[in-house]
Amino acid sequence: MSAVKQRVAAISIAASASMAAIKFVVGVAIGSLALISEALHSSVDLIATVVTWIVVRVSDKPADAEHHYGHGKLESLSALGVIALLYILAGGIVVEAYSRLREGVAPPTLTALPFVVLVVDIVVNFWRARALHKTAMETKSQALEADALHFASDVLGSFAVIIGLGLAAFGYAWGDAGAAIAVAVLISILGLRLGKSTIETLLDRAPDGASEKAEEAIRGIPGVVDLERLRVRMVGARHFVDATVQVPRTYPIDRIDSIKRKAQDAVTTALHDADLTFTAVPVARSNESVRERIMVIARNSGLAIHHVTVHDLGGKLTVSIDLEVDGDMPLDEAHDIAHRLEHAIRDEFGADVEVDTHIEPLEPELPHGTDAGADRVEAIQKALSQYAAESGAIHDVHNVRVRDTEAGEIVNFHCRAVPSMSVINVHEKVDEIERALRRAFPSVKRVISHAEPVR
């Protein structure tokens, strides 16, 4: 985008310089204030275009240690400077035109030359205005938009000068000065329009429709509960979006991070160029289960729990939890941790909640283990197949693996059951097989099964 803006600005410089010089020379030659005013207007456009060419080279630089939001505001500042020049020019034209009307200056000497120059100027400026406006919209460049407005005003100004010279040709001596005033009024109106949008950008006014698009994009991300606050501002061509988003407190950090990345992609797609600051606020949802709420309490305390069992005894909750702590920790310290966890659960659900905590040693993260010998694996597989046959519900024990660890043997196996069988029934039958295996092989510390439907 930077190369496109610079190329368009460079072409405008050459066009502005040539047309301003031609109009000024012809205007002085025939004594037309309107044509001279239009030439001076084009000269201001030339200055503006040079400034634009310089600014777009700087404004597209990325953010650095001192400019965290980039350098895009330079385009807005340059646009304000050009607007000031336009108003100074408009004021000078009005003063000179009024002086000529009051003192009565001789009408300009008319030939076909000024009309030819003005027609060529209209064609050139119309082409430039369209090219600049298109590029300004594509790159969201206020500097190029200001340039486009200048050349659009040149087109209208040239028409006003033609009308003024035509009136002078038909004997209306005030026609030339009147056309000059029309050019000044036109400059002022266009400057007001540009100034309004530029000042709004400098005051960080949210671009029209940007907030709605960003909000729709964020709310459409699965996992977003609500949007607390959304702020959008524009720096150069980039939208900076600041969103405070509610997410379920039961979600793990990696899932919340996934929501953030999806939100960034969605906002960028909606606004084309966006930098999203995403602040996640964990909230409790109305459909949270008791088990989920207990898991949140443990996680917020940095505790590892599992086998959370909850029963409702006619309005009274009973909760059983397996709490894992360092195996070398003294019992009194472990008991204090369990007591604090139970107290936190009662704070959440009421003082009459019955809580029992089973304390057990935390499994090491990377226990050392080796594969058992083929004879051992075969013996355990035969035993598993026998117990499965006795259960009458579990079939095809396969993929049996046995590992020796410092704490004992760990057995993994797969098996199959009827597809219509409930998960509870499958779990009970598999548990029976696991208990029978541990009784037959006391060195087995843990059995991990995976049940599959019969195909």
Side-chain angles (χ1 to χ4, degrees):
M1 287 297 185
S2 177
V4 172
K5 291 194 289 185
Q6 292 182 36
R7 183 173 65 253
V8 172
I11 294 173
S12 296
I13 291 174
S16 295
S18 57
M19 293 310 304
I22 293 172
K23 285 188 289 186
F24 185 79
V25 171
V26 174
V28 171
I30 66 174
S32 170
L33 175 61
L35 191 53
I36 293 173
S37 299
E38 185 59 23
L40 293 175
H41 182 197
S42 295
S43 298
V44 173
D45 288 347
L46 174 60
I47 297 172
T49 306
V50 172
V51 172
T52 299
W53 184 72
I54 295 172
V55 166
V56 296
R57 292 171 66 90
V58 178
S59 64
D60 281 328
K61 289 183 177 180
D64 54 33
E66 296 180 350
H67 306 88
H68 297 178
Y69 294 94
H71 302 75
K73 286 289 178 73
L74 283 175
E75 295 199 14
S76 300
L77 292 174
S78 71
L80 283 181
V82 171
I83 291 169
L85 286 176
L86 289 175
Y87 275 110
I88 292 173
L89 173 61
I93 291 173
V94 170
V95 170
E96 179 61 24
Y98 176 75
S99 176
R100 290 197 177 197
L101 289 174
R102 186 182 61 183
E103 296 176 2
V105 180
T109 304
L110 296 179
T111 64
L113 180 60
F115 293 98
V116 172
V117 170
L118 288 169
V119 169
V120 172
D121 185 61
I122 288 173
V123 173
V124 172
N125 285 329
F126 181 76
W127 170 78
R128 287 191 299 169
R130 286 192 61 183
L132 284 167
H133 180 73
K134 180 181 178 181
T135 306
M137 293 301 99
E138 292 175 352
T139 61
K140 302 293 189 298
S141 171
Q142 285 191 322
L144 289 183
E145 184 182 358
D147 235 5
L149 282 174
H150 300 158
F151 294 132
S153 68
D154 277 350
V155 172
L156 298 177
S158 295
F159 276 116
V161 175
I162 290 175
I163 295 172
L165 292 179
L167 289 173
F170 284 102
Y172 297 96
W174 51 267
D176 184 59
I181 293 176
V183 171
V185 171
L186 185 62
I187 292 172
S188 300
I189 293 174
L190 292 174
L192 182 64
R193 175 185 169 187
L194 178 60
K196 180 177 179 294
S197 64
T198 302
I199 290 173
E200 286 178 347
T201 299
L202 289 172
L203 294 177
D204 289 329
R205 179 182 181 274
D208 293 336
S211 296
E212 291 77 8
K213 290 180 181 178
E215 180 175 352
E216 182 180 0
I218 294 173
R219 288 188 181 276
I221 304 300
V224 170
V225 176
D226 199 2
L227 195 60
E228 285 189 3
R229 185 180 69 177
L230 180 71
R231 296 186 296 183
V232 182
R233 65 170 173 164
M234 207 160 181
V235 179
R238 171 163 287 193
H239 295 83
F240 285 86
V241 182
D242 184 359
T244 302
V245 183
Q246 292 182 358
V247 296
R249 64 175 184 170
T250 54
Y251 280 8
I253 294 176
D254 57 346
R255 188 166 181 182
I256 294 175
D257 183 66
S258 176
I259 293 175
K260 290 181 180 180
R261 286 186 277 105
K262 290 178 180 178
Q264 173 66 69
D265 294 340
V267 171
T268 300
T269 300
L271 301 178
H272 306 298
D273 189 1
D275 187 313
L276 174 64
T277 299
F278 186 105
T279 302
V281 179
V283 294
R285 293 179 296 177
S286 59
N287 61 347
E288 278 185 2
S289 67
V290 174
R291 184 176 287 103
E292 286 178 326
R293 292 164 69 181
I294 292 173
M295 295 298 292
V296 169
I297 293 171
R299 186 182 65 202
N300 291 342
S301 301
L303 301 177
I305 65 172
H306 62 278
H307 287 175
V308 179
T309 304
V310 181
H311 293 99
D312 185 354
L313 303 179
K316 179 180 179 180
L317 285 178
T318 66
V319 179
S320 300
I321 302 171
D322 285 1
L323 171 65
E324 297 183 17
V325 298
D326 185 352
D328 296 327
M329 179 182 292
L331 178 59
D332 57 346
E333 293 183 18
H335 185 266
D336 287 342
I337 294 174
H339 181 73
R340 287 195 295 269
L341 175 60
E342 293 170 0
H343 184 74
I345 293 173
R346 291 191 181 96
D347 285 344
E348 176 76 13
F349 297 100
D352 60 339
V353 174
E354 182 181 299
V355 186
D356 288 305
T357 305
H358 170 67
I359 302 173
E360 62 180 45
L362 184 68
E363 290 282 352
E365 291 187 5
L366 296 172
H368 177 72
T370 58
D371 288 327
D375 293 342
R376 184 64 170 175
V377 175
E378 182 179 357
I380 289 181
Q381 180 161 3
K382 286 181 179 180
L384 288 171
S385 298
Q386 176 187 339
Y387 304 143
E390 293 172 357
S391 73
I394 304 302
H395 315 281
D396 187 20
V397 173
H398 61 284
N399 197 16
V400 177
R401 287 145 290 154
V402 181
R403 273 85 184 214
D404 292 322
T405 71
E406 295 175 356
E409 290 178 305
I410 296 177
V411 176
N412 298 72
F413 72 94
H414 289 198
C415 59
R416 289 189 170 89
V418 177
S420 59
M421 194 173 177
S422 70
V423 172
I424 292 177
N425 289 337
V426 172
H427 186 265
E428 289 176 351
K429 295 297 183 181
V430 171
D431 270 356
E432 291 176 4
I433 296 172
E434 293 176 2
R435 286 194 293 271
L437 183 69
R438 283 198 295 268
R439 285 195 299 269
F441 297 86
S443 60
V444 173
K445 178 189 178 186
R446 188 177 181 193
V447 182
I448 304 157
S449 60
H450 173 72
E452 304 167 346
V454 175
R455 299 297 183 185

